[in-house]
Amino acid sequence: MVQTLAAPFPHTRPRRTRQAPWVRDLVRENTLTVGDLIWPIFVREGADGEEPIPSMPGVSRLTVDRAADAAARAADLGIPCVALFPYTPQEKRTEDAAEAWNPDNLVNSATRAIKRLRPGLGVMLDVALDPYSSHGHDGILRGDEIANDETLVALERQSLCQAEAGADILGPSDMMDGRIGVIRAALEANDFTNTLIMSYAAKYASAFYGPFRDAVGASGTLKGDKKTYQMDPANGDEALREVAIDLSEGADMVMVKPGMPYLDICRRVKAEFGAPTYAYQVSGEYAMLAGACDAGWMDRARVVAESLMAFKRAGCDGVLTYFAVEMAEGLR
Ligand code: PBG
């Protein structure tokens, strides 16, 4: 970038281009549109019901029918894609997480219900075992260890069920080694050649997931932490290696997670690979912003728009955000 050509003050006055809305519009470098938003929805059992999540004020777990209606409203606002997460009843959580490959589990049922109402809306499903395992881990537990290669077999089964249910994007969020290659090979071998993979490529072992684990009912069950598979928040170069591996194994899109504390990683990933790059503005980020706004300390509409624009400025092509619907309404 050529910075040196600018004349010194007063010939150069940066405020000239900020003097009025029309010129601010003209020089604006980034835009946020409804097409940039992916909306995560929590699904629970039952019919015609919803249940607020205390640590995520304003977000509820929805029964399948309500989730489908909510997704239809999101589609009508122009939101291109929703991401579904299950609140699995405790009695269906097992050591081997078999509910993950039940064709009629909550997210597979919700996917079919959404596709009946709005076939043109993208549906993304998380590939990981934590909402289904009795220990709250993303993989199969053997003694104190998460067994990587055994977990891959489970993830493959889960993925094929999700593709069969009609999921458009699979989002492996488990951080096992080799999972993208295994899932991609299974999809190709079973004629799911159009199923997209958005890999949670650079996923950090973050405290910002706290409210999500409440939302899916995993906070009480999780034994220990996820540091042997999720990344150390101190590392940046390692994120680039993870993204390189996932792209080489067949990921179509990559994600950085959490979002706001990791904008430097978003920037580096986009600059290095130029692949479709997404950030997940996670539950803890939502809780911080929503909590402060509810307390009257910040202006919600403005703070939401600013936080989402930051992802575009950092180079992201889109954002998974619990604010998607209100942002879409704000953009109208
Ligand atoms: C599970 C998963 C998590 C999130 C998305 N998928 C939590 C975790 O890894 O413990 C977090 C989402 C959020 O915090 O909003 N594999």
Side-chain angles (χ1 to χ4, degrees):
M1 266 225 227
V2 188
Q3 312 278 7
T4 48
L5 291 182
F9 172 84
H11 294 193
T12 292
R13 290 180 183 267
R15 287 185 56 193
R16 284 191 201 110
T17 55
R18 296 179 205 137
Q19 64 185 287
W22 68 267
V23 63
R24 291 198 293 272
D25 284 348
L26 213 50
V27 301
R28 184 163 303 118
E29 297 173 37
N30 294 288
T31 46
L32 176 74
T33 73
V34 67
D36 299 320
L37 305 172
I38 299 176
W39 186 38
I41 303 176
F42 296 104
V43 187
R44 53 158 292 150
E45 290 207 326
D48 197 23
E50 61 179 88
E51 176 178 45
I53 301 161
S55 55
M56 299 181 73
V59 179
S60 293
R61 303 181 191 109
L62 309 178
T63 54
V64 170
D65 52 340
R66 292 255 186 127
D69 290 343
R73 284 195 301 278
D76 297 344
L77 283 166
I79 290 175
C81 186
V82 294
L84 308 178
F85 296 94
Y87 178 77
T88 309
Q90 289 302 330
E91 66 276 11
K92 292 192 178 164
R93 295 178 198 225
T94 55
E95 194 70 24
D96 65 353
E99 180 67 6
W101 50 91
N102 173 358
D104 298 317
N105 71 18
L106 283 167
V107 291
N108 292 332
S109 306
T111 299
R112 287 191 294 266
I114 290 169
K115 288 287 175 184
R116 277 194 293 271
L117 287 186
R118 290 293 183 282
L121 175 68
V123 175
M124 171 166 168
L125 295 182
D126 224 50
V127 181
L129 304 183
D130 55 312
Y132 311 99
S133 67
S134 48
H135 43 70
H137 278 290
D138 294 25
I140 305 282
L141 195 60
R142 286 288 171 243
D144 292 335
E145 280 195 25
I146 305 300
N148 192 88
D149 302 9
E150 241 180 286
T151 301
L152 297 182
V153 180
L155 298 176
E156 180 180 338
R157 289 179 80 174
Q158 179 181 25
S159 298
L160 288 175
C161 277
Q162 294 175 338
E164 187 68 51
D168 300 287
I169 306 182
L170 303 188
S173 71
D174 54 285
M175 289 298 277
M176 296 300 117
D177 295 332
R179 80 249 211 246
I180 303 301
V182 165
I183 295 169
R184 176 58 77 204
L187 292 172
E188 286 294 325
N190 289 277
D191 275 339
F192 294 115
T193 51
N194 275 334
T195 305
L196 294 148
I197 297 180
M198 182 191 292
S199 134
Y200 286 66
K203 178 171 180 180
Y204 287 87
S206 173
F208 285 94
Y209 309 147
F212 174 94
R213 291 183 192 163
D214 274 348
V216 300
S219 26
T221 45
L222 180 64
K223 295 184 181 69
D225 58 49
K226 301 190 176 185
K227 291 181 185 168
T228 70
Y229 45 106
Q230 298 180 348
M231 281 180 54
D232 182 342
N235 296 351
D237 294 342
E238 188 185 350
L240 301 186
R241 295 200 294 277
E242 282 282 9
V243 170
I245 291 168
D246 287 1
L247 289 172
S248 76
E249 291 181 13
D252 305 287
M253 310 150 116
V254 293
M255 189 207 294
V256 174
K257 182 182 176 200
M260 279 169 66
Y262 296 86
L263 288 176
D264 57 323
I265 307 298
C266 297
R267 174 50 125 204
R268 291 180 68 188
V269 166
K270 188 63 182 182
E272 185 77 21
F273 300 99
T277 303
Y278 301 81
Y280 197 142
Q281 184 181 52
V282 299
S283 57
E285 300 174 62
Y286 174 87
M288 287 195 304
L289 298 176
C293 295
D294 287 351
W297 297 332
M298 295 195 291
D299 179 308
R300 181 153 173 152
R302 291 185 55 208
V303 103
V304 167
E306 186 177 333
S307 73
L308 294 174
M309 183 62 84
F311 293 109
K312 295 303 302 286
R313 198 186 58 241
C316 291
D317 296 286
V319 195
L320 287 91
T321 174
Y322 301 98
F323 293 117
V325 167
E326 65 190 85
M327 190 68 249
E329 281 163 351
L331 285 167
R332 286 207 126 177

Coordinates of all heavy atoms in Angstrom, one line a residue, residues 63-148:
T63 N -38.4 -26.6 19.8 CA -38.8 -27.9 19.3 C -38.7 -28.0 17.8 O -38.6 -26.9 17.1 CB -40.2 -28.3 19.7 OG1 -41.1 -27.2 19.3 CG2 -40.3 -28.4 21.3
V64 N -38.6 -29.2 17.2 CA -38.4 -29.3 15.8 C -39.3 -28.4 14.9 O -38.9 -27.8 14.0 CB -38.5 -30.8 15.3 CG1 -38.4 -31.0 13.8 CG2 -37.3 -31.6 16.0
D65 N -40.6 -28.5 15.3 CA -41.6 -27.7 14.5 C -41.3 -26.2 14.6 O -41.3 -25.5 13.6 CB -43.0 -28.0 14.9 CG -43.2 -27.9 16.4 OD1 -42.2 -28.0 17.2 OD2 -44.4 -27.8 16.9
R66 N -41.0 -25.7 15.8 CA -40.7 -24.3 16.0 C -39.4 -23.9 15.3 O -39.2 -22.8 14.8 CB -40.6 -24.0 17.5 CG -41.9 -24.1 18.2 CD -42.5 -22.7 18.5 NE -43.6 -22.8 19.3 CZ -43.8 -22.2 20.5 NH1 -42.9 -21.3 20.9 NH2 -44.9 -22.3 21.2
A67 N -38.4 -24.9 15.3 CA -37.1 -24.6 14.7 C -37.4 -24.4 13.2 O -36.8 -23.5 12.5 CB -36.1 -25.7 15.0
A68 N -38.2 -25.3 12.6 CA -38.5 -25.2 11.2 C -39.2 -23.9 10.9 O -38.8 -23.2 9.9 CB -39.3 -26.4 10.7
D69 N -40.1 -23.4 11.7 CA -40.8 -22.1 11.5 C -39.8 -21.0 11.6 O -39.8 -20.1 10.8 CB -41.9 -21.9 12.5 CG -43.1 -22.9 12.2 OD1 -43.2 -23.4 11.1 OD2 -43.9 -23.0 13.2
A70 N -38.9 -21.1 12.6 CA -37.9 -20.0 12.8 C -37.0 -20.0 11.6 O -36.6 -18.9 11.1 CB -37.1 -20.3 14.1
A71 N -36.6 -21.1 11.1 CA -35.7 -21.2 9.9 C -36.4 -20.6 8.7 O -35.7 -19.9 7.9 CB -35.2 -22.6 9.7
A72 N -37.6 -20.9 8.6 CA -38.4 -20.3 7.4 C -38.4 -18.8 7.5 O -38.2 -18.1 6.5 CB -39.8 -20.9 7.4
R73 N -38.6 -18.3 8.7 CA -38.6 -16.8 8.8 C -37.2 -16.3 8.5 O -37.1 -15.2 7.8 CB -39.0 -16.4 10.3 CG -40.5 -16.5 10.5 CD -40.9 -15.8 11.8 NE -40.2 -16.3 13.0 CZ -40.6 -17.3 13.7 NH1 -41.7 -18.0 13.3 NH2 -39.9 -17.7 14.8
A74 N -36.2 -17.0 8.9 CA -34.8 -16.5 8.6 C -34.6 -16.5 7.1 O -34.0 -15.6 6.5 CB -33.8 -17.4 9.3
A75 N -35.1 -17.6 6.4 CA -34.9 -17.6 5.0 C -35.7 -16.5 4.3 O -35.2 -15.9 3.4 CB -35.5 -19.0 4.5
D76 N -36.9 -16.1 4.9 CA -37.6 -15.1 4.3 C -36.9 -13.7 4.5 O -37.2 -12.8 3.7 CB -39.1 -15.0 4.8 CG -39.8 -16.3 4.5 OD1 -39.3 -17.1 3.6 OD2 -40.8 -16.6 5.1
L77 N -36.1 -13.6 5.5 CA -35.3 -12.4 5.7 C -34.1 -12.4 4.8 O -33.3 -11.4 4.7 CB -34.8 -12.3 7.1 CG -35.8 -11.9 8.2 CD1 -35.3 -12.2 9.6 CD2 -36.1 -10.4 8.0
G78 N -33.8 -13.5 4.1 CA -32.7 -13.5 3.2 C -31.4 -14.2 3.7 O -30.4 -14.3 3.1
I79 N -31.6 -14.7 5.0 CA -30.4 -15.5 5.6 C -30.2 -16.7 4.7 O -31.1 -17.5 4.5 CB -30.7 -15.8 7.0 CG1 -30.7 -14.5 7.8 CG2 -29.7 -16.8 7.6 CD1 -31.1 -14.6 9.3
P80 N -29.0 -17.0 4.3 CA -28.7 -18.1 3.3 C -28.7 -19.5 4.0 O -28.8 -20.5 3.3 CB -27.4 -17.8 2.7 CG -26.7 -16.8 3.5 CD -27.8 -16.1 4.3
C81 N -28.4 -19.5 5.3 CA -28.1 -20.8 5.9 C -28.3 -20.8 7.4 O -28.0 -19.8 8.1 CB -26.6 -21.1 5.6 SG -26.0 -22.8 6.1
V82 N -28.8 -21.9 7.9 CA -28.9 -22.1 9.4 C -28.0 -23.2 9.8 O -27.7 -24.1 9.0 CB -30.4 -22.3 9.9 CG1 -31.2 -21.1 9.6 CG2 -31.0 -23.6 9.2
A83 N -27.6 -23.2 11.1 CA -26.8 -24.3 11.6 C -27.5 -24.9 12.8 O -28.0 -24.1 13.7 CB -25.4 -23.8 12.0
L84 N -27.7 -26.2 12.9 CA -28.5 -26.8 13.9 C -27.7 -27.5 15.0 O -26.7 -28.2 14.6 CB -29.5 -27.8 13.3 CG -30.3 -27.2 12.1 CD1 -31.2 -28.3 11.6 CD2 -31.2 -26.0 12.6
F85 N -28.1 -27.3 16.2 CA -27.4 -28.0 17.4 C -28.4 -28.6 18.3 O -29.4 -28.0 18.6 CB -26.5 -27.0 18.2 CG -25.4 -26.4 17.4 CD1 -25.6 -25.2 16.7 CD2 -24.2 -27.0 17.3 CE1 -24.5 -24.6 16.0 CE2 -23.2 -26.5 16.5 CZ -23.3 -25.3 15.9
P86 N -28.2 -29.8 18.7 CA -29.2 -30.5 19.5 C -29.0 -30.4 21.0 O -27.9 -30.4 21.5 CB -29.0 -32.0 19.1 CG -27.5 -32.1 18.9 CD -27.1 -30.7 18.4
Y87 N -30.2 -30.3 21.7 CA -30.2 -30.5 23.2 C -30.7 -32.0 23.4 O -31.9 -32.2 23.4 CB -31.1 -29.5 23.8 CG -31.2 -29.6 25.3 CD1 -30.1 -29.2 26.2 CD2 -32.3 -30.2 25.9 CE1 -30.2 -29.3 27.6 CE2 -32.4 -30.3 27.3 CZ -31.4 -29.9 28.1 OH -31.5 -30.0 29.5
T88 N -29.7 -32.9 23.4 CA -30.1 -34.3 23.5 C -30.5 -34.7 24.9 O -29.8 -34.3 25.9 CB -28.9 -35.2 23.1 OG1 -28.4 -34.7 21.9 CG2 -29.3 -36.6 23.0
P89 N -31.7 -35.4 25.1 CA -32.1 -35.7 26.5 C -31.0 -36.6 27.1 O -30.4 -37.4 26.4 CB -33.4 -36.6 26.3 CG -33.8 -36.3 24.9 CD -32.6 -35.8 24.1
Q90 N -30.8 -36.4 28.4 CA -29.7 -37.1 29.1 C -29.8 -38.6 28.9 O -28.7 -39.3 28.7 CB -29.8 -36.9 30.6 CG -29.4 -35.4 31.0 CD -27.9 -35.0 30.6 OE1 -27.0 -35.9 30.5 NE2 -27.8 -33.7 30.3
E91 N -31.0 -39.2 28.8 CA -31.0 -40.7 28.7 C -30.6 -41.2 27.3 O -30.4 -42.4 27.2 CB -32.4 -41.2 29.1 CG -33.6 -40.8 28.2 CD -34.2 -39.4 28.5 OE1 -33.6 -38.6 29.3 OE2 -35.3 -39.1 27.9
K92 N -30.5 -40.3 26.4 CA -30.0 -40.7 25.0 C -28.5 -40.5 24.9 O -27.9 -40.7 23.8 CB -30.8 -40.0 24.0 CG -32.2 -40.4 23.9 CD -32.9 -39.9 22.6 CE -34.3 -40.4 22.6 NZ -35.2 -39.7 21.6
R93 N -27.8 -40.0 25.9 CA -26.4 -39.8 25.9 C -25.7 -41.0 26.4 O -25.9 -41.4 27.5 CB -26.0 -38.5 26.7 CG -26.6 -37.3 26.1 CD -26.2 -36.1 27.0 NE -27.1 -35.0 26.7 CZ -26.7 -33.7 26.5 NH1 -25.5 -33.4 26.6 NH2 -27.6 -32.8 26.2
T94 N -24.8 -41.6 25.5 CA -24.1 -42.8 25.9 C -22.6 -42.6 25.8 O -22.1 -41.7 25.2 CB -24.6 -44.0 25.0 OG1 -24.4 -43.6 23.6 CG2 -26.1 -44.3 25.2
E95 N -21.9 -43.6 26.3 CA -20.5 -43.7 26.2 C -20.0 -43.6 24.7 O -19.0 -42.9 24.4 CB -20.0 -45.0 26.8 CG -18.6 -45.2 27.1 CD -18.1 -44.3 28.3 OE1 -18.9 -43.9 29.2 OE2 -16.9 -44.1 28.3
D96 N -20.7 -44.3 23.8 CA -20.3 -44.3 22.4 C -21.0 -43.3 21.5 O -20.7 -43.2 20.4 CB -20.5 -45.7 21.8 CG -22.0 -46.1 21.7 OD1 -22.8 -45.3 22.3 OD2 -22.3 -47.1 21.2
A97 N -21.9 -42.5 22.1 CA -22.6 -41.4 21.4 C -23.4 -41.9 20.2 O -23.5 -41.1 19.2 CB -21.5 -40.3 21.0
A98 N -23.9 -43.0 20.3 CA -24.6 -43.6 19.1 C -25.8 -42.8 18.6 O -26.1 -42.9 17.4 CB -25.1 -45.0 19.5
E99 N -26.4 -41.9 19.5 CA -27.4 -41.1 19.0 C -27.0 -40.2 17.9 O -27.8 -39.7 17.1 CB -28.0 -40.3 20.2 CG -29.1 -39.3 19.9 CD -30.4 -40.0 19.5 OE1 -30.5 -41.2 19.6 OE2 -31.4 -39.2 19.1
A100 N -25.7 -40.0 17.8 CA -25.1 -39.1 16.7 C -25.4 -39.6 15.3 O -25.5 -38.9 14.3 CB -23.6 -38.9 16.9
W101 N -25.6 -41.0 15.2 CA -25.9 -41.5 13.8 C -27.3 -42.2 13.8 O -27.5 -43.1 13.1 CB -24.8 -42.5 13.3 CG -24.3 -43.5 14.3 CD1 -24.8 -44.8 14.4 CD2 -23.2 -43.4 15.2 NE1 -24.1 -45.4 15.4 CE2 -23.2 -44.6 15.9 CE3 -22.3 -42.4 15.6 CZ2 -22.2 -44.9 16.9 CZ3 -21.4 -42.6 16.6 CH2 -21.4 -43.8 17.2
N102 N -28.2 -41.7 14.7 CA -29.6 -42.1 14.6 C -30.2 -41.2 13.5 O -30.2 -40.0 13.6 CB -30.2 -41.8 15.9 CG -31.7 -42.0 15.9 OD1 -32.3 -42.3 14.8 ND2 -32.4 -41.8 17.0
P103 N -30.7 -41.8 12.4 CA -31.2 -41.0 11.3 C -32.4 -40.1 11.7 O -32.7 -39.1 11.1 CB -31.8 -42.1 10.3 CG -31.2 -43.4 10.7 CD -30.8 -43.3 12.2
D104 N -33.0 -40.4 12.9 CA -34.1 -39.6 13.4 C -33.8 -38.8 14.6 O -34.7 -38.4 15.3 CB -35.3 -40.5 13.7 CG -35.8 -41.3 12.5 OD1 -35.9 -40.6 11.4 OD2 -36.1 -42.5 12.5
N105 N -32.5 -38.5 14.8 CA -32.2 -37.7 15.9 C -32.6 -36.2 15.7 O -33.2 -35.9 14.6 CB -30.7 -37.8 16.3 CG -29.8 -37.1 15.2 OD1 -30.2 -36.3 14.4 ND2 -28.5 -37.5 15.3
L106 N -32.5 -35.4 16.7 CA -33.1 -34.1 16.6 C -32.6 -33.3 15.4 O -33.4 -32.7 14.7 CB -32.7 -33.3 17.9 CG -33.5 -33.7 19.1 CD1 -32.9 -33.1 20.4 CD2 -35.0 -33.2 19.0
V107 N -31.3 -33.2 15.1 CA -30.9 -32.4 14.0 C -31.2 -32.9 12.7 O -31.6 -32.2 11.7 CB -29.4 -32.0 14.1 CG1 -29.1 -31.1 15.3 CG2 -28.5 -33.3 14.1
N108 N -31.2 -34.3 12.6 CA -31.6 -34.9 11.3 C -33.1 -34.7 11.0 O -33.5 -34.3 9.9 CB -31.3 -36.4 11.2 CG -29.8 -36.6 11.2 OD1 -29.0 -35.8 10.7 ND2 -29.3 -37.7 11.8
S109 N -33.9 -34.8 12.1 CA -35.4 -34.5 11.9 C -35.6 -33.1 11.6 O -36.5 -32.8 10.7 CB -36.1 -34.9 13.2 OG -35.8 -36.2 13.6
A110 N -34.9 -32.2 12.3 CA -35.1 -30.8 12.0 C -34.7 -30.4 10.6 O -35.3 -29.6 9.9 CB -34.3 -29.9 13.1
T111 N -33.6 -31.0 10.1 CA -33.2 -30.8 8.8 C -34.3 -31.1 7.8 O -34.6 -30.3 6.9 CB -31.9 -31.6 8.4 OG1 -30.9 -31.2 9.3 CG2 -31.4 -31.4 7.0
R112 N -34.9 -32.3 7.9 CA -35.9 -32.7 7.0 C -37.1 -31.7 7.1 O -37.7 -31.4 6.1 CB -36.4 -34.1 7.3 CG -35.3 -35.1 6.8 CD -35.8 -36.6 6.8 NE -36.1 -37.0 8.2 CZ -35.2 -37.7 8.9 NH1 -34.0 -38.1 8.4 NH2 -35.5 -38.1 10.1
A113 N -37.5 -31.3 8.4 CA -38.6 -30.4 8.6 C -38.3 -29.1 7.9 O -39.2 -28.5 7.3 CB -38.9 -30.2 10.1
I114 N -37.1 -28.6 8.0 CA -36.8 -27.3 7.4 C -36.8 -27.4 5.9 O -37.3 -26.6 5.2 CB -35.4 -26.8 7.9 CG1 -35.4 -26.4 9.3 CG2 -34.8 -25.7 7.0 CD1 -34.1 -26.2 10.0
K115 N -36.3 -28.5 5.3 CA -36.2 -28.7 3.9 C -37.6 -28.8 3.3 O -37.9 -28.4 2.1 CB -35.4 -29.9 3.5 CG -33.9 -29.7 3.7 CD -33.4 -28.8 2.6 CE -31.9 -28.5 2.9 NZ -31.4 -27.5 1.9
R116 N -38.6 -29.3 4.1 CA -40.0 -29.4 3.6 C -40.5 -28.0 3.5 O -41.2 -27.7 2.5 CB -40.8 -30.2 4.6 CG -40.8 -31.7 4.3 CD -41.9 -32.5 5.1 NE -41.8 -32.4 6.5 CZ -41.1 -33.3 7.3 NH1 -40.4 -34.3 6.7 NH2 -41.0 -33.1 8.6
L117 N -40.2 -27.1 4.4 CA -40.7 -25.7 4.4 C -40.0 -24.8 3.4 O -40.6 -24.0 2.7 CB -40.7 -25.1 5.8 CG -41.6 -25.6 6.9 CD1 -41.5 -24.7 8.1 CD2 -43.1 -25.5 6.4
R118 N -38.6 -24.9 3.4 CA -37.8 -24.0 2.6 C -36.7 -24.8 2.0 O -35.5 -24.8 2.5 CB -37.2 -22.9 3.5 CG -38.2 -21.8 4.0 CD -38.8 -21.0 2.9 NE -39.7 -20.0 3.5 CZ -41.0 -20.2 3.9 NH1 -41.5 -21.4 3.8 NH2 -41.7 -19.2 4.4
P119 N -37.0 -25.5 0.9 CA -35.9 -26.3 0.3 C -34.7 -25.5 -0.1 O -33.6 -26.1 -0.2 CB -36.6 -26.9 -0.9 CG -38.0 -26.4 -1.0 CD -38.3 -25.6 0.2
G120 N -34.8 -24.3 -0.4 CA -33.7 -23.4 -0.8 C -32.8 -22.9 0.3 O -31.9 -22.2 0.0
L121 N -33.2 -23.1 1.5 CA -32.4 -22.6 2.6 C -31.2 -23.6 2.9 O -31.5 -24.8 3.0 CB -33.3 -22.4 3.9 CG -32.5 -22.0 5.2 CD1 -32.0 -20.6 5.0 CD2 -33.5 -22.1 6.4
G122 N -30.0 -23.1 3.0 CA -28.9 -24.0 3.4 C -29.0 -24.5 4.8 O -29.4 -23.7 5.7
V123 N -28.7 -25.8 5.0 CA -28.7 -26.3 6.4 C -27.3 -26.9 6.7 O -26.8 -27.7 5.9 CB -29.8 -27.4 6.6 CG1 -29.7 -28.0 8.0 CG2 -31.2 -26.8 6.4
M124 N -26.8 -26.4 7.8 CA -25.4 -26.9 8.2 C -25.6 -27.7 9.5 O -26.3 -27.3 10.4 CB -24.5 -25.7 8.4 CG -23.2 -25.9 9.0 SD -22.1 -24.5 8.9 CE -20.8 -25.0 10.0
L125 N -24.9 -28.8 9.6 CA -24.9 -29.6 10.8 C -23.5 -29.8 11.3 O -22.6 -30.0 10.5 CB -25.6 -31.0 10.5 CG -27.1 -31.0 10.2 CD1 -27.6 -32.4 10.0 CD2 -27.9 -30.2 11.2
D126 N -23.4 -29.8 12.6 CA -22.1 -30.0 13.3 C -21.8 -31.5 13.3 O -22.6 -32.3 13.7 CB -22.3 -29.5 14.7 CG -21.1 -28.7 15.2 OD1 -20.7 -27.8 14.5 OD2 -20.6 -29.0 16.3
V127 N -20.5 -31.8 12.9 CA -20.1 -33.2 13.1 C -19.1 -33.2 14.3 O -18.1 -32.7 14.3 CB -19.3 -33.7 11.8 CG1 -18.9 -35.1 12.0 CG2 -20.2 -33.5 10.6
A128 N -19.6 -33.9 15.4 CA -18.9 -34.0 16.6 C -19.8 -34.8 17.6 O -21.0 -34.8 17.4 CB -18.5 -32.7 17.2
L129 N -19.2 -35.4 18.5 CA -20.0 -36.3 19.4 C -20.4 -35.7 20.7 O -21.2 -36.3 21.4 CB -19.2 -37.6 19.7 CG -18.6 -38.4 18.5 CD1 -17.9 -39.6 18.9 CD2 -19.8 -38.7 17.5
D130 N -20.0 -34.5 21.0 CA -20.2 -34.0 22.4 C -21.7 -33.8 22.8 O -22.0 -34.0 23.9 CB -19.4 -32.7 22.6 CG -19.7 -31.6 21.6 OD1 -19.6 -31.9 20.4 OD2 -19.9 -30.5 21.9
P131 N -22.6 -33.5 21.9 CA -24.0 -33.4 22.4 C -24.6 -34.7 22.6 O -25.8 -34.8 23.1 CB -24.7 -32.7 21.2 CG -23.7 -32.1 20.3 CD -22.5 -33.1 20.5
Y132 N -23.9 -35.8 22.3 CA -24.5 -37.2 22.3 C -23.8 -38.1 23.3 O -24.2 -39.2 23.5 CB -24.5 -37.8 20.9 CG -25.0 -36.9 19.8 CD1 -24.2 -36.2 19.0 CD2 -26.4 -36.8 19.6 CE1 -24.7 -35.4 18.0 CE2 -26.9 -36.0 18.7 CZ -26.0 -35.3 17.8 OH -26.5 -34.4 16.9
S133 N -22.6 -37.6 23.8 CA -21.8 -38.5 24.6 C -22.1 -38.3 26.1 O -22.3 -37.1 26.5 CB -20.3 -38.3 24.3 OG -19.9 -37.1 24.7
S134 N -22.0 -39.3 26.9 CA -22.3 -39.2 28.3 C -21.1 -38.5 29.0 O -21.3 -38.0 30.1 CB -22.4 -40.6 28.9 OG -21.4 -41.5 28.5
H135 N -20.0 -38.3 28.4 CA -18.8 -37.6 29.0 C -18.6 -36.2 28.5 O -17.7 -35.5 28.9 CB -17.6 -38.5 28.8 CG -17.4 -39.1 27.5 ND1 -17.1 -38.3 26.4 CD2 -17.6 -40.3 27.0 CE1 -17.1 -39.1 25.3 NE2 -17.4 -40.3 25.7
G136 N -19.4 -35.8 27.5 CA -19.3 -34.5 27.0 C -18.1 -34.2 26.0 O -17.9 -33.0 25.6
H137 N -17.4 -35.2 25.7 CA -16.2 -35.0 24.8 C -16.7 -35.2 23.3 O -17.6 -35.8 23.0 CB -15.1 -35.9 25.1 CG -14.2 -35.4 26.2 ND1 -13.4 -34.3 26.1 CD2 -14.1 -35.9 27.5 CE1 -12.8 -34.1 27.3 NE2 -13.2 -35.0 28.2
D138 N -15.9 -34.6 22.4 CA -16.2 -34.6 21.0 C -15.8 -35.9 20.4 O -16.1 -36.2 19.2 CB -15.4 -33.5 20.3 CG -15.9 -32.1 20.7 OD1 -16.4 -32.0 21.8 OD2 -15.8 -31.1 19.9
G139 N -15.1 -36.8 21.1 CA -14.6 -38.0 20.5 C -14.9 -39.2 21.5 O -15.6 -39.0 22.5
I140 N -14.5 -40.4 21.0 CA -14.7 -41.6 21.8 C -13.6 -41.6 22.9 O -12.4 -41.4 22.7 CB -14.5 -42.9 21.0 CG1 -15.4 -42.8 19.7 CG2 -14.6 -44.1 21.8 CD1 -16.8 -43.2 20.0
L141 N -14.0 -41.9 24.2 CA -13.1 -41.8 25.3 C -12.6 -43.2 25.6 O -13.5 -44.2 25.8 CB -13.9 -41.2 26.5 CG -13.1 -40.8 27.7 CD1 -12.1 -39.7 27.4 CD2 -14.1 -40.2 28.8
R142 N -11.3 -43.4 25.7 CA -10.7 -44.7 26.1 C -9.8 -44.4 27.2 O -8.7 -43.9 27.1 CB -9.9 -45.3 24.9 CG -10.7 -45.9 23.8 CD -11.5 -47.2 24.2 NE -12.4 -47.6 23.1 CZ -13.7 -47.6 23.3 NH1 -14.3 -47.4 24.5 NH2 -14.5 -48.0 22.3
G143 N -10.3 -44.8 28.4 CA -9.5 -44.4 29.6 C -9.6 -42.9 29.8 O -10.7 -42.4 29.8
D144 N -8.4 -42.3 29.8 CA -8.4 -40.8 29.9 C -8.2 -40.2 28.5 O -8.1 -38.9 28.4 CB -7.3 -40.3 30.8 CG -7.6 -40.7 32.3 OD1 -8.7 -40.9 32.6 OD2 -6.6 -40.9 33.0
E145 N -8.1 -41.0 27.5 CA -7.8 -40.4 26.2 C -8.9 -40.4 25.2 O -9.7 -41.3 25.2 CB -6.6 -41.3 25.6 CG -5.3 -40.9 26.2 CD -4.1 -41.4 25.4 OE1 -4.3 -41.6 24.2 OE2 -3.1 -41.6 26.0
I146 N -8.9 -39.4 24.4 CA -9.8 -39.3 23.3 C -9.1 -40.1 22.1 O -8.1 -39.7 21.6 CB -10.1 -37.9 22.8 CG1 -10.6 -37.0 24.0 CG2 -11.1 -37.8 21.7 CD1 -11.8 -37.5 24.6
A147 N -9.8 -41.2 21.7 CA -9.2 -42.1 20.7 C -9.4 -41.5 19.3 O -10.5 -41.7 18.8 CB -9.7 -43.5 20.9
N148 N -8.4 -40.9 18.8 CA -8.6 -40.2 17.5 C -9.2 -41.1 16.4 O -10.2 -40.8 15.8 CB -7.2 -39.7 17.0 CG -7.3 -38.7 15.9 OD1 -7.5 -37.5 16.1 ND2 -7.3 -39.2 14.6

